[in-house]
Amino acid sequence: MQSCYDVVIVGGGMVGGTLACALGNTSLKVAVIETQLPAAFDLTQDHDLRVSALSIASENILKSVGSWQGILDRRSCPYRRMKVWEASEEHAATLFDSVKLKYDHLGHIVENRVIQLALIDQMKALDNVDLITPAKTRKIDYSPGFSIVELDDGRQIVARLLVAADGGESRVRQAVGIGIQKWDYEQHALVASVITEDPQQDITWQQFTPTGPLAFLPLSGHHASLVWYNTPAEVKRLMRTTDEQFLAELTSRFPAALGNIETLLGRASFPLRRQHAQQYAKEGVVLVGDAAHMIHPLAGQGVNIGLLDAAALAQTLMTALEEGADISSMAVLSHYEKHRRRHNFIMMQAMDLFYRVFSNDLLPLKVLRNVGLGVAGKASPLKHKVMAFAMGLEGDLPEIAK
């Protein structure tokens, strides 16, 4: 049995879901293929390990597509300040405060599952969007303007435009023959969900150490997410420790600003990798989010640039509709690729620079770090520029991100 759609999005996560919602209430017939729906949300549940720091631009996008209220109705944590400092040099810390930019917050920390569920609610309410789930992809036959996604149950979904929103190991990207450039960082990230004695919902911070940053992300109540960047060997050792041993390690290594940790709810680790697709589009197919790019999570920008991909692609497709152009043509898709590839490459280069400068103990770079943080802390125009960029308030942004 075949079903034909104008746009078929493979992957109904945060980025794929945002794109689908952004194309809602248009003349396009849209399908979203998702392997499995996330578990239902309940306020009594512990916080998930996987969280994202959403920028103001991402908040604007999610408001525009009708999903922001669904996030607020579940659980989120706004933060107003961000603090960064060199280990043992807290006196030279740089503090970013949203008040300086006349905003009441810099962003929100939200569980990934909460974001996805809010988007799913909106997708289900849209007449022109079909959410096909649970559905496993058996085979992808790529043909410009007529790609076929065959599901495990035998159904065939025909796409005029096929969208890869299926992550870093994208099957769509592989099926259409788009290559990638990638390398692994000499660093892993360990994420821990904890309950602290004191609530710290107002600030997020990072302390830079020779082996990588120690980061704190506030969650609602007394909950927090901790991120510990370190060598692969050290992270593997930490993951093998008992909960009691691990809590002792956290207490001894994390800054005093964290306060007492009362409970460890969970921990997980993953390797860090940079990856960039050699192209974002071919005739009849286009890549968004992790399928197109993966960056170092140091500044928490991965999901934000993915949502900007979704917003930019939606804007490109709607402009094509208005002009009567073929949405699957390279003449249309090249506009999206040119804009997003340039922006994402700049962000990737910036994260690489941060990684190299802040993850070692060479004296010249240590001096450079301290000088740089000191200058950033005192130079208001520079500080405001950095804040505005991180919040998604500057640059050539899609309309729904403004």
Side-chain angles (χ1 to χ4, degrees):
M1 185 176 72
Q2 283 190 345
S3 300
C4 298
Y5 292 87
D6 296 306
V7 181
V8 173
I9 303 167
V10 180
M14 294 182 287
V15 176
T18 297
L19 174 61
C21 292
L23 295 175
N25 299 316
T26 67
S27 61
L28 294 172
K29 188 179 179 185
V30 180
V32 180
I33 301 173
E34 172 59 20
T35 305
Q36 186 175 0
L37 289 178
F41 176 80
D42 189 304
L43 266 176
T44 63
Q45 296 168 340
D46 288 331
H47 289 69
D48 294 343
L49 275 170
R50 298 180 63 196
V51 303
S52 294
L54 296 178
S55 67
I56 296 292
S58 291
E59 178 181 334
N60 290 339
I61 291 168
L62 292 165
K63 283 179 179 176
S64 295
V65 303
S67 295
W68 186 248
Q69 191 58 48
I71 291 172
L72 298 183
D73 288 345
R74 288 178 172 90
R75 190 161 60 194
S76 66
C77 182
Y79 61 95
R80 181 172 61 85
R81 299 175 296 151
M82 179 174 67
K83 185 178 180 180
V84 294
W85 73 94
E86 174 86 12
S88 74
E89 301 281 350
E90 190 166 355
H91 62 279
T94 299
L95 181 67
F96 300 91
D97 194 324
S98 62
V99 172
K100 302 295 184 182
L101 286 180
K102 297 181 171 57
Y103 276 78
D104 61 5
H105 60 277
L106 292 172
H108 282 75
I109 309 297
V110 188
E111 293 153 83
N112 292 1
R113 177 168 61 110
V114 165
I115 300 170
Q116 188 180 5
L117 285 169
L119 288 164
I120 287 169
D121 286 347
Q122 183 63 10
M123 279 188 272
K124 288 180 175 179
L126 295 169
D127 292 336
N128 68 315
V129 176
D130 289 343
L131 178 60
I132 303 171
T133 186
K136 290 187 177 180
T137 301
R138 177 190 297 165
K139 183 181 178 184
I140 298 170
D141 286 327
Y142 164 63
S143 179
F146 196 84
S147 293
I148 300 175
V149 181
E150 185 177 323
L151 306 180
D152 264 1
D153 61 7
R155 282 181 292 173
Q156 293 185 334
I157 312 300
V158 181
R160 183 177 163 202
L161 175 63
L162 182 62
V163 181
D166 51 344
E169 302 299 327
S170 171
R171 290 188 65 185
V172 174
R173 187 188 65 230
Q174 295 172 40
V176 304
I178 294 178
I180 56 172
Q181 296 174 324
K182 69 175 182 178
W183 64 81
D184 292 331
Y185 293 103
E186 295 177 3
Q187 211 172 62
H188 282 200
L190 191 160
V191 179
S193 181
V194 301
I195 298 176
T196 58
E197 182 179 4
D198 303 317
Q200 303 181 59
Q201 298 182 51
D202 169 70
I203 189 170
T204 178
W205 48 254
Q206 288 195 74
Q207 180 192 57
F208 297 107
T209 77
T211 55
L214 304 170
F216 168 86
L217 304 175
L219 298 171
S220 58
H222 290 247
H223 291 257
S225 178
L226 306 181
V227 188
W228 191 342
Y229 299 94
N230 214 310
T231 63
E234 178 64 3
V235 168
K236 288 175 183 176
R237 182 191 71 79
L238 289 167
M239 287 298 296
R240 289 195 299 265
T241 60
T242 65
D243 286 356
E244 292 74 18
Q245 291 169 334
F246 183 67
L247 277 175
E249 297 256 16
L250 284 179
T251 302
S252 66
R253 297 289 293 278
F254 267 72
L258 180 60
N260 293 328
I261 306 172
E262 294 186 335
T263 308
L264 172 67
L265 297 175
R267 52 181 153 153
S269 66
F270 52 91
L272 302 181
R273 180 174 72 192
R274 168 175 165 156
Q275 181 172 294
H276 207 192
Q278 292 174 346
Q279 58 193 103
Y280 282 15
K282 293 175 71 171
E283 197 86 15
V285 65
V286 63
L287 278 54
V288 293
D290 283 357
H293 47 75
M294 296 177 69
I295 69 172
H296 197 291
L298 179 66
Q301 289 300 311
V303 68
N304 292 311
I305 63 175
L307 295 185
L308 285 171
D309 287 350
L313 179 56
Q315 183 171 302
T316 298
L317 297 181
M318 287 189 283
T319 299
L321 273 181
E322 292 170 2
E323 297 174 350
D326 181 358
I327 63 167
S328 69
S329 70
M330 275 306 295
V332 168
L333 300 178
S334 61
H335 291 292
Y336 159 78
E337 175 167 18
K338 182 179 179 181
H339 171 58
R340 291 307 304 156
R341 188 175 177 83
R342 181 177 63 246
H343 179 279
N344 293 337
F345 181 74
I346 291 172
M347 182 66 76
M348 294 172 88
Q349 293 295 90
M351 292 306 99
D352 281 356
L353 179 62
F354 273 114
Y355 164 71
R356 291 187 173 91
V357 170
F358 284 98
S359 296
N360 62 74
D361 207 24
L362 294 175
L363 184 58
L365 289 180
K366 187 172 182 179
V367 171
L368 177 64
R369 290 196 296 262
N370 287 328
V371 170
L373 290 175
V375 169
K378 294 174 183 175
S380 291
L382 174 62
K383 194 171 175 180
H384 292 172
K385 198 81 173 174
V386 171
M387 286 172 62
F389 186 76
M391 293 165 69
L393 301 176
E394 291 206 348
D396 185 13
L397 300 172
E399 285 303 314
I400 65 172
K402 295 179 182 177

